[in-house]
Amino acid sequence: MIKKYRIGNPIETDSVVIQIDSENEKVPYFQMMEEKKELSLQMEKKDSVFGLGETVRGINKRGYIYTSNCSDDPNHTEDKRSLYAAQNFFVVWGQGRGFGMYVDAPGRVTFDIGYTDLDTFTISFDDFDADLYVVEGESIKEIVKEFRGIIGKSYVPPRWAFGFGQSRWSYMNEQEVREVVENYEEQNIPIDSVYLDIDYMERYKDFTISDERFPNFKDFVKEMADKGIHLVPIIDAGVKIEDGYDVYEEGVQGDYFCKKEDGTNLVAAVWPGKVHFPDFLNEDARRWFGEKYKVLLDLGIDGFWNDMNEPAIFYTEDHLKEVFQELKEYEGKNLDIRSFFHMQGLVGGLANNEEDYRRFYHDYKGKRYRHDKVHNLFGYNMTRAAGEAFERLSPDKRILMFSRSSYIGMHRYGGVWCGDNKSWWSHLLLNIQQMPALNMCGFLYSGADVGGFGADATEDLLMRWAEFGIFTPLLRNHSAEGTRRQEFYRFAKTDGFKNILRLRYALIPYLYSEFMKAAKNDEMIFTPLCFEYPEDDLAYEVEDQLCVGESIMIAPVYKQNATGRYVYLPEQMKLCRFRSYDDYDVEIMEKGHHYIKAAMNEVLVFIRKGHALPLATPADRTEKIDYTNLKYECFQCDQDAYQLYMDDGISR
Ligand code: MIG
């Protein structure tokens, strides 16, 4: 059961698609403190808090403070309060009861979940305007399902997007891309896509192709398609200011860009230097920008990733001017400690500056809003622009789309990747812990950069990460400019990588089935153990094992030099220790704690009682997998216990 409560005069976000009338009663559970713009809840000792989507820290969010304020921050350390997303749905659960709440407010919202006081959960608002949806249910899973029922169905990608994708910032030309594909083919490692980062464009201009680097782009896309390889270009939020550039000129003419207070277009800077930002919140601008993807669709492209859409801002023209002014005053002076740090802060504070988010406006649903009031809707609406356009431009064929920034509602138009993580063991664990929270908020097609984006990956980290990544719908190896190259074929243990990737392809019939069932039934793919075994107190403390779909539980190894790990089994399960899809040992394990060996190339999969896991013979491309010849690994049932979902993998 869901009830809606309105505080103040909230700005519509289009995240909820079901019309619900708001109650006249007080908000339940939380105490409202009007003057402080706060809601506050006394938590019970045993209450856990789950959700909030893509954030730092563990599965149980209790004990820290999180701010929904979409941020381009490449340092996902424990002390951060905001990452790229604003996904304001959570569940409080303890002692066999609880509730869910969705805080629908597009501005900044802070969730202090036991940070100030361990037993107090306080939600505070910049503006005290919000729609609150309170969700009741018999279990956490039921609450999540109820909530998902009001926000609309999750985005479904084409099936080939369940294949492996190799990425790098950037493959600089046709030849580099060819070499990647050739290397994968030579090593017999399956692959379905190669990602194109910003350098495929002409001077970082959206919807252009560099003539120099990709002189025959259309032919090249075809050449790759003939090999079964999809090229997936990046699209950035900022449109370069350059005379003669059609997107810029159309945007100016159509009045599609974000404006400053004085009505002129905001000038900010990102990759291309100075840019304007399309006003994605505006329906006309959204339609116009969405239509631009056609340029690439017409060249044979069928997948995209939307980046820098928090939006990331290197600087605004106005702010930069002010900073130069101030710096002049420092020239020739003897800088003491305070003035030195202040001066340093002037320059260091240019990027993603809070004040800049108050310098421009949106024309949204017939009204003008200052950006910071609707900040968290920007990336969402960029991806919505694309998603709505794809429905018009590609009515029969699904298009791959995922975004860096997001808000609930965007899950209908695309997936997400978790942004600029690092090649750190702690970020492998973070990836594991983010998946269920993303699913709760409707984001099913998701994953993180396998191997880590920033910093240098090591072979063992990459292998362990791949061993988890093969379970995430989006499986992409991506890394930053200047870091160690981390394509799987570059390391000595290529056989290990090959077998792990081939195991992924063996699992695709299962993963795709579980994905489609979750999308159709508003369910999760990744669940923490306590969602499945709510009666088991110990299950609430397990933060490094997940159930993946109905049949299996996984226990990834995420520690350097580990040759195994401790695993908690809430009930008897059947362990399959995979070295490859057809080389694995099997053991029935009793309920309780175990230390389980897992050599560097071994993947631990536990089959749950009464469930079956289909396994295909791997192919080098997703669409070549033979569905007629599946083998089933069963535990106390036969293969009929499993309902396989099948479709053509491409039509909508
Ligand atoms: O400021 O396009 O998260 O995946 O490789 C960096 C370059 C901009 C950030 C994305 C990352 C991408 C990078 N982009």
Side-chain angles (χ1 to χ4, degrees):
M1 203 196 30
I2 303 192
K3 284 189 176 178
K4 174 175 167 183
Y5 303 85
R6 177 157 282 187
I7 302 174
N9 189 15
I11 300 168
E12 265 179 74
T13 65
D14 298 343
S15 55
V16 171
V17 295
I18 304 279
Q19 178 68 38
I20 301 174
D21 294 329
S22 39
E23 305 289 328
N24 286 321
E25 312 145 29
K26 284 202 315 192
V27 180
Y29 301 107
F30 284 85
Q31 225 194 325
M32 199 189 304
M33 286 165 298
E34 200 93 38
E35 337 69 60
K36 291 167 99 180
K37 302 186 193 170
E38 276 179 12
L39 297 167
S40 162
L41 165 84
Q42 270 320 107
M43 292 185 286
E44 305 277 343
K45 275 276 162 292
K46 272 183 128 185
D47 281 342
S48 300
V49 180
F50 302 104
L52 294 183
E54 191 188 328
T55 55
V56 294
R57 302 224 177 187
I59 290 176
N60 181 353
K61 308 314 289 184
R62 188 166 176 169
Y64 197 56
I65 181 168
Y66 311 86
T67 299
S68 283
N69 181 35
C70 297
S71 303
D72 164 31
D73 183 339
N75 296 303
H76 310 168
T77 44
E78 272 187 60
D79 56 325
K80 294 301 162 70
R81 296 180 183 189
S82 309
L83 297 180
Y84 310 89
Q87 301 171 356
N88 301 345
F89 172 66
F90 60 84
V91 173
V92 179
W93 189 263
Q95 327 268 26
R97 46 134 215 105
F99 67 95
M101 185 185 266
Y102 173 44
V103 180
D104 190 10
R108 195 193 303 229
V109 183
T110 294
F111 300 87
D112 176 340
I113 314 179
Y115 168 80
T116 303
D117 173 278
L118 210 47
D119 298 324
T120 312
F121 181 172
T122 305
I123 307 174
S124 54
F125 298 78
D126 271 17
D127 294 305
F128 211 31
D129 301 296
D131 278 328
L132 306 177
Y133 296 85
V134 176
V135 193
E136 310 278 352
E138 292 300 307
S139 67
I140 307 174
K141 288 214 297 188
E142 192 186 307
I143 291 170
V144 171
K145 192 177 159 104
E146 285 271 322
F147 169 61
R148 295 269 303 283
I150 66 165
I151 57 172
K153 296 288 176 221
S154 297
Y155 161 78
V156 174
R159 186 170 49 211
W160 62 260
F162 284 75
F164 164 63
Q166 179 62 56
S167 187
R168 173 79 181 177
W169 171 19
S170 300
Y171 295 122
M172 296 303 277
N173 52 47
E174 288 184 1
Q175 199 41 39
E176 279 192 31
V177 175
R178 270 191 203 105
E179 274 165 28
V180 169
V181 175
E182 276 161 21
N183 275 300
Y184 275 103
E185 286 181 341
E186 236 159 70
Q187 302 297 333
N188 267 309
I189 304 177
I191 181 170
D192 274 86
S193 54
V194 178
Y195 284 75
L196 301 180
D197 209 322
I198 46 177
D199 297 285
Y200 80 87
M201 292 182 254
E202 187 196 309
R203 296 196 300 287
Y204 309 130
K205 290 187 291 184
D206 278 339
F207 312 111
T208 68
I209 309 287
S210 160
D211 257 353
E212 206 181 305
R213 306 179 200 276
F214 294 90
N216 306 299
F217 193 65
K218 193 169 185 175
D219 294 342
F220 185 58
V221 175
K222 169 106 184 12
E223 177 190 323
M224 288 294 122
D226 289 344
K227 287 172 156 289
I229 298 292
H230 302 259
L231 296 178
V232 186
I234 195 170
I235 305 292
D236 278 21
V239 170
K240 183 172 169 59
I241 298 175
E242 185 183 285
D243 286 333
Y245 169 36
D246 56 345
V247 183
Y248 160 71
E249 290 185 341
E250 283 172 30
V252 171
Q253 255 152 35
D255 222 7
Y256 298 135
F257 294 128
C258 292
K259 304 271 182 304
K260 296 197 295 190
E261 173 119 56
D262 66 5
T264 60
N265 293 330
L266 173 83
V267 179
V270 208
W271 293 114
K274 289 182 184 174
V275 300
H276 292 320
F277 288 121
D279 185 357
F280 295 118
L281 277 69
N282 180 270
E283 210 180 317
D284 296 332
R286 208 158 57 227
R287 198 182 165 87
W288 162 72
F289 193 83
E291 208 66 27
K292 292 287 128 201
Y293 286 80
K294 186 168 187 296
V295 172
L296 290 155
L297 292 173
D298 287 347
L299 295 170
I301 293 296
D302 51 9
F304 303 87
W305 45 312
N306 279 349
D307 192 19
M308 304 293 270
N309 51 6
E310 293 71 31
I313 298 180
F314 291 173
Y315 60 85
T316 60
E317 193 176 49
D318 290 342
H319 186 208
L320 187 67
K321 231 180 262 164
E322 292 161 15
V323 167
F324 274 125
Q325 274 304 328
E326 269 200 72
L327 283 178
K328 272 193 204 124
E329 290 161 27
Y330 283 104
E331 213 177 335
K333 289 221 173 110
N334 179 359
L335 299 177
D336 63 10
I337 181 96
R338 298 261 165 238
S339 47
F340 170 71
F341 283 127
H342 181 72
M343 185 196 78
Q344 206 179 27
L346 284 175
V347 179
L350 274 171
N352 304 322
N353 186 286
E354 283 305 324
E355 234 173 87
D356 279 335
Y357 292 123
R358 293 193 283 268
R359 288 179 200 253
F360 62 104
Y361 293 80
H362 296 276
D363 176 6
Y364 180 46
K365 295 183 187 285
K367 281 199 199 144
R368 199 172 84 130
Y369 293 96
R370 203 174 70 193
H371 175 80
D372 61 313
K373 306 285 179 196
V374 289
H375 174 71
N376 293 330
L377 302 182
F378 193 78
Y380 159 21
N381 279 285
M382 177 186 183
T383 297
R384 180 179 177 183
E388 286 172 342
F390 297 155
E391 282 165 29
R392 301 190 298 269
L393 300 171
S394 178
D396 303 322
K397 229 175 87 176
R398 303 175 211 161
I399 302 292
L400 170 62
M401 162 55 65
F402 57 90
S403 170
R404 194 169 71 175
S405 187
S406 61
Y407 186 86
I408 290 175
M410 201 201 84
H411 71 288
R412 300 193 297 271
Y413 304 101
V416 290
W417 94 100
C418 300
D420 299 346
N421 59 5
K422 291 212 161 52
S423 299
W424 293 345
W425 291 94
S426 59
H427 279 183
L428 165 51
L429 178 59
L430 182 64
N431 186 188
I432 297 167
Q433 293 171 328
Q434 284 174 330
M435 297 307 293
L438 280 163
N439 280 191
M440 286 173 75
C441 298
F443 294 87
L444 296 182
Y445 191 76
S446 49
D449 290 348
V450 168
F453 173 76
D456 293 331
T458 56
E459 182 169 26
D460 53 346
L461 173 66
L462 184 65
M463 191 166 292
R464 290 306 196 185
W465 208 320
E467 290 170 11
F468 171 66
I470 57 170
F471 296 97
T472 62
L474 167 60
L475 166 60
R476 183 177 77 141
N477 175 337
H478 179 50
S479 56
E481 196 176 71
T483 62
R484 181 181 187 181
R485 297 257 164 192
Q486 65 187 42
E487 293 83 5
F488 294 128
Y489 54 78
R490 290 187 190 268
F491 295 88
K493 299 188 192 320
T494 346
D495 261 4
F497 287 115
K498 177 179 83 187
N499 288 330
I500 293 161
L501 270 287
R502 283 164 64 83
L503 177 60
R504 159 62 166 223
Y505 281 64
L507 288 166
I508 283 179
Y510 175 71
L511 295 173
Y512 186 68
S513 287
E514 292 306 300
F515 183 97
M516 294 307 286
K517 287 187 244 175
K520 277 176 178 272
N521 304 325
D522 300 324
E523 283 164 353
M524 301 169 65
I525 303 166
F526 292 93
T527 48
L529 295 199
C530 59
F531 286 32
E532 304 294 335
Y533 304 92
E535 307 297 327
D536 184 337
D537 279 352
L538 292 177
Y540 288 82
E541 295 192 18
V542 180
E543 293 248 350
D544 57 0
Q545 299 170 213
L546 294 173
C547 292
V548 185
E550 64 172 52
S551 299
I552 61 174
M553 181 194 78
I554 57 169
V557 175
Y558 57 91
K559 289 181 182 161
Q560 189 175 313
N561 297 316
T563 56
R565 54 161 289 170
Y566 287 95
V567 176
Y568 176 64
L569 300 189
E571 63 176 346
Q572 193 188 48
M573 292 188 188
K574 177 175 173 179
L575 163 66
C576 299
R577 184 188 285 107
F578 286 99
R579 281 169 293 277
S580 78
Y581 82 100
D582 60 353
D583 173 19
Y584 57 95
D585 30 65
V586 171
E587 193 182 333
I588 307 297
M589 312 275 317
E590 296 307 318
K591 171 182 161 82
H593 288 97
H594 302 269
Y595 182 83
I596 300 182
K597 285 269 172 205
M600 172 113 84
N601 62 334
E602 290 177 333
V603 183
L604 303 177
V605 175
F606 299 83
I607 308 208
R608 296 172 66 188
K609 243 187 218 167
H611 288 280
L613 175 68
L615 287 165
T617 305
D620 58 355
R621 304 284 181 265
T622 298
E623 290 312 310
K624 287 207 242 153
I625 293 170
D626 178 7
Y627 270 65
T628 60
N629 213 354
L630 302 179
K631 175 185 155 192
Y632 284 81
E633 198 49 68
C634 307
F635 185 34
Q636 293 184 3
C637 65
D638 60 27
Q639 66 180 62
D640 297 337
Y642 191 70
Q643 201 191 353
L644 195 72
Y645 174 92
M646 279 198 287
D647 63 12
D648 65 6
I650 194 74
S651 51
R652 285 178 181 277

